[in-house]
Amino acid sequence: MVDHEADILIDLGRLRRAQGDAAEARRLGGEAVTLAERCGYVFQGADAHLLLAGLERAEGKTASAREHALEARRLATCDREDSTYKVAYDEAEAMLTGL
């Protein structure tokens, strides 16, 4: 069931962020990024980077938030125009516009 682990980590990170535990949300997001990179889960990687971008933006860390948003946008396209993860791509674009 390792193919679901990144999604679980991302969802737990979102929950921790909503509960006000940014440090734990960041840790979970970082684990999700590592897992996604190791396993080649590019769309989950996009979601994990969006989680981290949102956390960074909330703390006023604009440069870091921008880096995560750019990586999320890159991963959301999966290097192919015909397989874009539209929800993540649009969220990354909106975040980049707002930074």
Side-chain angles (χ1 to χ4, degrees), residues 15-95:
L15 175 63
R16 294 298 178 254
R17 179 181 61 194
Q19 293 173 330
D21 191 351
E24 181 64 4
R26 185 173 283 103
R27 185 189 71 75
L28 291 163
E31 281 190 39
V33 165
T34 300
L35 178 65
E37 287 173 352
R38 186 176 342 127
C39 296
Y41 300 146
V42 293
F43 294 157
Q44 288 89 344
D47 283 336
H49 278 286
L50 285 170
L51 170 62
L52 295 173
L55 289 164
E56 296 297 282
R57 183 179 62 184
E59 292 183 2
K61 299 176 181 175
T62 307
S64 182
R66 183 171 183 71
E67 288 176 27
H68 283 294
L70 285 168
E71 183 64 5
R73 184 178 66 183
R74 185 188 72 78
L75 291 170
T77 59
C78 194
D79 294 329
R80 291 178 34 209
E81 194 64 34
D82 63 334
S83 64
T84 300
Y85 176 19
K86 183 105 171 91
V87 173
Y89 185 89
D90 290 347
E91 185 177 340
E93 280 291 307
M95 187 170 294

